[in-house]
Amino acid sequence: MIIYLSLVIRKTNLFMKLLKILVIDDEKLIRWSFEKKLNSDKIKVYTAGSGEDGIETFQMEHPHIVFLDNKLPKMQGLDVLKKIKKTDEDAVIVFMTAYESVDVAVKAMKAGAYEYINKPFSFEEINIIIKNITDKINKDKEIRLLRREKKDFITFDHIIGSSEKIKKIIRLAKKIAKTETTTILLLGESGTGKDLFSKAIHNESARKDKPFVTINCSSLPETLLESELFGYETGAFTDAKKQKKGLFEVAEGGTVFLDEIGEINQATQLKLLNVLENRTVRRLGGTVDIPVDIRIIAATNRNLKKSVEEKLFREDLYYRIKVFQITVPPLRERKEDIPELINYFIEQFNRQFGKNVTETDPEVLKLMMKYDWPGNVRELRNVIERAVILETDNILYEDCLPGEIREHNCNEKKCNPYNFILPDEGLSLEEMEKEIIRQALEKTDYNQTKAAKLLRISRDTLRYKKKKHKL
Ligand SMILES: Nc1ncnc2c1ncn2[C@@H]1O[C@H](COP(=O)(O)OP(=O)(O)OP(=O)(O)O)[C@@H](O)[C@H]1O
Ligand SMILES: [Mg+2]
């Protein structure tokens, strides 16, 4: 995390700048030749002489490609491969075997190796393999970015973050998306991305061409919620002039997203339980049970288990919907995702507001990494939106951040970095500001850009203040 702090974020580069390669082989000569032949300003080779070391290096460095030897002391190559794949399903592993061990190569491919190569090999072969893999990685990245452009069609590519925590739940969600009817319960604080997940799951499931119907259970009064969900027959109640299909029927073949499920009342809970158990719905005032083919995804930022304990939520329904539970972690528990999210939202708002913000002042990033984000990704998105709108210099400075994030910094550290003590008789803040600005300008030979940088404000703010103080 510390690395991020010393960096100035630039616009995300479409293609990778440094290709990381890990070589796991007990033969010193092989490790040495990889290093000698490949290390450059574009490629960094990491090496490990044993499977255990290799796995550890993999987890620390997240290399793009792993060259893995089959014959290793203690742990066999195949086991190392399986272990790496378990921690990162997308790991690209090139398996190195001797000619005679074709069956091992086959096994490796089955276990998820990307490619295998027979020993001895030439570096020409290795270079071709590397080129093919990087071409593929770049192509995939390009496709992902293109797909992201299509805003309305949310997929997992729209869920930003490469922390282990988020990657793990994305993997999980991708798996569950493939199942047809499994009910999913999305838990997590407000603004963590539950909506986003529900859409991605639907759009990456076999149901994607069928409706995705979403209903916020807390936004409707009880009776309306029931008639929306289950529909009604003519005359079911005073206003039921015409028969109406409920959302479960409307969603036929698709997905129903029940947002804020923790808010529904007991009577509706029971009806919902019936839908889940029998896969049928009965309209209000109706007598027939209509079969429905839907998947239900429910979400809540409440502690449902506690609601069950407090008898506010039916236990049987709880167990029915938590068949598969995904908890989206709060942003403060995966702060590594912050720089990537900042870049993503900057690009998004640059497009939206026709801006060209290209950099984030390191101080801003530092503050954002320190802040705890009680409103999670939604709050971060709003902060960036505001900052992009306010910014005039193409660089996001501290003065674009809302007070709570700036103050937070202050509360946390000894907040008096300049050992400043307010005199008993007080002082004029205006005069003080004027004096500080005057000094900053003097220090920088009246270079406004430099002076603004010293004061961590934008050039426009400085210009405004200069005028105000008649400097
Ligand atoms: N990992 C992420 N990558 C990109 N955008 C995200 C991510 N997580 C959340 N967002 C964005 O943050 C905002 C809030 O997300 P979302 O509405 O999915 O949260 P939620 O968990 O459903 O919140 P609530 O409980 O308040 O309904 C949305 O604009 C969403 O697109
Ligand atoms: Mg939501």
Side-chain angles (χ1 to χ4, degrees):
M1 219 177 288
I2 298 149
I3 320 168
Y4 294 132
L5 302 184
S6 60
L7 280 179
V8 172
I9 302 187
R10 291 181 194 284
K11 263 182 154 177
T12 19
N13 197 340
L14 183 60
F15 301 109
M16 71 184 96
K17 289 187 195 118
L18 183 71
L19 182 75
K20 291 185 181 180
I21 292 178
L22 169 62
V23 180
I24 310 175
D25 198 320
D26 59 331
E27 274 180 72
K28 214 171 175 179
L29 187 63
I30 298 268
R31 301 201 301 270
W32 179 81
S33 17
F34 265 95
E35 281 177 329
K36 182 117 183 62
K37 300 263 185 201
L38 298 179
N39 259 334
S40 69
D41 55 348
K42 297 219 168 61
I43 300 181
K44 173 140 182 63
V45 177
Y46 300 86
T47 58
S50 71
E52 293 83 349
D53 273 1
I55 293 168
E56 203 179 306
T57 314
F58 180 86
Q59 281 164 348
M60 291 207 351
E61 300 298 339
H62 300 285
H64 298 96
I65 309 172
V66 182
F67 284 90
L68 170 64
D69 186 35
N70 173 40
K71 278 217 178 82
L72 291 169
K74 285 199 271 181
M75 211 174 170
Q76 282 296 293
L78 204 55
D79 297 325
V80 177
L81 182 138
K82 286 178 187 159
K83 202 131 194 186
I84 289 181
K85 278 278 168 184
K86 217 168 179 177
T87 58
D88 183 355
E89 218 176 16
D90 305 323
V92 177
I93 301 172
V94 180
F95 206 67
M96 305 188 285
T97 54
Y99 263 114
E100 62 273 21
S101 42
V102 181
D103 54 327
V104 182
V106 173
K107 275 189 193 148
M109 293 302 280
K110 276 193 183 151
Y114 182 86
E115 172 86 272
Y116 72 88
I117 185 165
N118 286 317
K119 272 182 167 180
F121 46 71
S122 71
F123 269 86
E124 263 164 33
E125 288 174 82
I126 296 286
N127 278 324
I128 291 173
I129 292 181
I130 292 176
K131 178 159 188 323
N132 287 343
I133 293 174
T134 45
D135 282 354
K136 187 171 179 307
I137 295 175
N138 284 335
K139 188 129 216 127
D140 287 352
K141 213 166 190 171
E142 204 173 349
I143 292 171
R144 272 210 304 280
L145 285 177
L146 284 174
R147 283 177 77 180
R148 254 187 216 167
E149 301 279 311
K150 289 208 264 165
K151 254 178 62 202
D152 298 333
F153 192 76
I154 303 283
T155 63
F156 288 111
D157 296 329
H158 293 82
I159 302 178
I160 309 302
S162 28
S163 60
E164 266 318 306
K165 283 198 169 158
I166 198 85
K167 267 168 63 182
K168 196 170 146 206
I169 58 164
I170 291 176
R171 275 202 296 273
L172 210 70
K174 277 186 177 170
K175 274 191 193 147
I176 196 67
K178 300 276 170 273
T179 65
E180 281 265 331
T181 50
T182 312
T183 305
I184 301 167
L185 176 60
L186 290 169
L187 297 174
E189 291 176 14
S190 181
T192 46
K194 297 183 295 297
D195 256 70
L196 209 57
F197 267 94
S198 71
K199 291 189 182 118
I201 291 171
H202 172 77
N203 287 335
E204 298 213 11
S205 76
R207 298 178 176 270
K208 66 172 184 285
D209 298 320
K210 295 289 166 72
F212 175 81
V213 176
T214 163
I215 184 153
N216 188 319
C217 303
S218 71
S219 66
L220 297 174
E222 286 162 25
T223 46
L224 210 56
L225 177 66
E226 274 200 18
S227 66
E228 281 296 312
L229 287 176
F230 302 97
Y232 47 81
E233 296 294 347
T234 317
F237 46 89
T238 334
D239 285 338
K241 303 265 185 287
K242 248 176 39 195
Q243 167 207 69
K244 189 184 168 212
K245 273 188 184 177
L247 290 179
F248 288 123
E249 282 180 76
V250 172
E252 179 60 23
T255 307
V256 177
F257 178 46
L258 299 174
D259 205 1
E260 315 268 1
I261 191 150
E263 313 303 317
I264 60 175
N265 70 7
Q266 296 276 342
T268 319
Q269 285 179 26
L270 180 62
K271 287 194 171 162
L272 192 56
L273 182 68
N274 279 330
V275 178
L276 284 168
E277 282 186 340
N278 309 317
R279 301 268 154 197
T280 58
V281 287
R282 184 177 289 196
R283 294 185 191 149
L284 303 184
T287 47
V288 284
D289 293 323
I290 306 160
V292 283
D293 167 27
I294 47 164
R295 183 214 295 268
I296 291 180
I297 302 180
T300 179
N301 48 33
R302 273 206 190 195
N303 184 342
L304 262 197
K305 205 164 164 223
K306 200 156 155 253
S307 304
V308 170
E309 280 159 18
E310 289 165 357
K311 305 257 181 281
L312 295 169
F313 202 84
R314 292 182 68 102
E315 191 172 12
D316 44 8
L317 178 60
Y318 173 62
Y319 285 108
R320 271 279 167 196
I321 55 174
K322 75 175 278 252
V323 178
F324 202 94
Q325 184 172 306
I326 296 176
T327 305
V328 191
L331 190 55
R332 63 180 171 280
E333 286 178 14
R334 47 179 164 110
K335 286 193 172 174
E336 311 92 283
D337 291 340
I338 292 177
E340 213 177 325
L341 283 163
I342 296 177
N343 272 341
Y344 176 69
F345 291 132
I346 286 181
E347 281 186 19
Q348 196 171 314
F349 292 117
N350 267 344
R351 272 199 303 272
Q352 189 170 330
F353 302 122
K355 292 277 190 134
N356 187 30
V357 174
T358 48
E359 288 181 27
T360 309
D361 187 67
E363 199 58 33
V364 168
L365 186 58
K366 213 156 137 185
L367 287 173
M368 293 181 87
M369 293 296 278
K370 272 199 183 142
Y371 186 59
D372 267 349
W373 303 103
N376 293 297
V377 185
R378 178 179 294 117
E379 186 183 6
L380 181 113
R381 185 176 187 272
N382 292 344
V383 165
I384 298 293
E385 176 172 7
R386 176 181 184 272
V388 171
I389 291 174
L390 289 178
E391 196 43 70
T392 46
D393 266 354
N394 298 345
I395 299 174
L396 294 191
Y397 284 114
E398 200 179 323
D399 60 343
C400 294
L401 297 179
E404 62 272 22
I405 297 179
R406 281 188 281 163
E407 276 157 27
H408 175 81
N409 189 27
C410 243
N411 295 338
E412 212 178 62
K413 40 178 193 182
K414 315 151 256 69
C415 202
N416 198 353
Y418 313 111
N419 287 329
F420 175 76
I421 295 166
L422 183 70
D424 290 341
E425 68 280 14
L427 56 73
S428 152
L429 195 57
E430 285 288 301
E431 285 302 320
M432 181 90 178
E433 185 180 79
K434 184 174 175 182
E435 179 54 24
I436 289 171
I437 294 172
R438 195 190 59 74
Q439 287 193 25
L441 285 165
E442 252 180 21
K443 229 188 187 88
T444 56
D445 284 336
Y446 283 78
N447 180 324
Q448 295 197 16
T449 310
K450 285 185 187 161
K453 210 161 186 161
L454 269 188
L455 300 172
R456 324 254 198 278
I457 55 178
S458 69
R459 236 173 40 214
D460 272 12
T461 310
L462 178 72
R463 247 182 253 132
Y464 164 78
K465 289 188 188 289
K466 250 182 80 193
K467 211 165 154 195
K468 187 175 90 174
H469 296 299
K470 300 199 178 67
L471 280 163

